[in-house]
Amino acid sequence: MKKTDRVKTIIMRLEEIYPETPIPLDHQNNFTLLIAVVLSAQSTDKKVNELTKQLFKMASCPEAMYKLGEHKIYNYIKQLGLAKTKAKNIYNLSKIIIEKYNNILPNSFKELESLPGVGHKTASVVMSQVFGVPAFPVDTHIHRLSQRWGLTSGKSVIQTENDLKNLFPRNLWNKLHLQIIFYGREYCSARGCNGTICRLCKELYPSRKD
């Protein structure tokens, strides 16, 4: 199957399986989505959702988060990986949003990526899900499946992102990145499929042996 045909098949099958793509991180507003995405680095969405339930009751806006303070933020999220660093970043980015952006979440990649703890992937999630700007955030699932499906050589997440943007229609990026994540978690995990087991891998590469 040619790469263009694989792309068409992937779009079709993922749309069949995941016609709706709810954001997997629980949030109340734009700010809490940003915080949830920051916390999700090297942590599961399930654990983040569990811990932010109480955190967001106490602080759902930059001012409340800043007033909560770094130590109390840490106490809410200490079960997460890199909790101390994340608490410090959340405290500092809340302060910056208050002082520099008048309590309003900035709406550009450059401004978001200037915030502590906000890398390109996090900024891409916020830009796509909050502001509707086409973006293709690449996490471990997308990076792995893109290689497995022959969409990229995958030497870096940056290369994978660029390759995917060149292959898929721009108007599908925001939905597709979630569809691929959902599929990777449910059917094509690192241990659950080696490229020959799940339905989509078998359809894309029917002759693949290993």
Side-chain angles (χ1 to χ4, degrees):
M1 189 182 290
K2 294 179 181 179
K3 185 180 287 188
T4 53
D5 293 327
R6 291 200 301 274
V7 166
K8 291 177 183 177
T9 299
I10 289 166
I11 292 171
M12 181 171 62
R13 296 302 179 218
L14 291 180
E15 186 62 26
E16 289 173 358
I17 301 169
Y18 305 109
E20 303 297 329
T21 52
I23 299 172
L25 289 165
D26 295 340
H27 60 286
Q28 300 171 11
N29 52 42
N30 298 350
F31 174 72
T32 53
L33 177 60
L34 170 64
I35 299 304
V37 179
V38 169
L39 291 175
S40 70
Q42 298 187 34
S43 302
T44 65
D45 291 350
K46 182 179 178 181
K47 193 64 179 178
V48 171
N49 289 340
E50 178 187 320
L51 298 179
T52 54
K53 192 174 293 185
Q54 292 302 317
L55 175 62
F56 293 160
K57 280 183 181 179
M58 297 300 299
S60 61
C61 67
E63 284 186 334
M65 193 68 74
Y66 178 66
K67 287 178 181 177
L68 198 59
E70 184 178 334
H71 181 68
K72 287 185 179 179
I73 294 171
Y74 169 76
N75 283 338
Y76 282 105
I77 66 168
K78 60 186 176 183
Q79 294 179 46
L80 297 177
L82 306 175
K84 288 188 176 180
T85 299
K86 289 175 180 177
K88 182 178 181 180
N89 286 337
I90 289 170
Y91 174 76
N92 287 329
L93 73 81
S94 298
K95 182 181 180 182
I96 292 170
I97 292 173
I98 293 167
E99 295 179 348
K100 189 174 181 180
Y101 299 107
N102 196 30
N103 281 313
I104 298 172
L105 198 66
N107 62 354
S108 74
F109 281 97
K110 184 177 180 180
E111 290 172 317
L112 284 169
E113 289 176 31
S114 73
L115 297 173
V118 179
H120 180 66
K121 186 195 119 183
T122 297
S124 295
V125 172
V126 173
M127 290 298 290
S128 64
Q129 301 303 330
V130 172
F131 300 111
V133 175
F136 218 125
V138 174
D139 75 343
T140 54
H141 295 288
I142 294 177
H143 191 51
R144 182 183 72 252
L145 267 61
S146 297
Q147 292 173 306
R148 193 168 280 175
W149 294 344
L151 304 178
T152 181
S153 62
K155 293 179 181 178
S156 69
V157 292
I158 295 172
Q159 181 183 342
T160 297
E161 180 183 343
N162 289 335
D163 288 343
L164 293 177
K165 285 180 173 179
N166 287 327
L167 288 170
F168 291 102
R170 183 180 175 89
N171 66 308
L172 298 182
W173 292 354
N174 292 355
K175 188 174 187 179
L176 262 172
H177 104 263
L178 285 173
Q179 289 174 322
I180 296 172
I181 290 171
F182 294 164
Y183 189 85
R185 289 175 178 174
E186 189 170 1
Y187 299 107
C188 197
S189 64
R191 294 181 181 179
C193 180
N194 64 357
T196 66
I197 297 170
C198 80
R199 169 189 171 187
L200 199 41
C201 283
K202 288 193 289 187
E203 184 173 0
L204 296 175
Y205 290 98
S207 302
R208 182 187 273 169
K209 300 300 180 185
D210 52 33

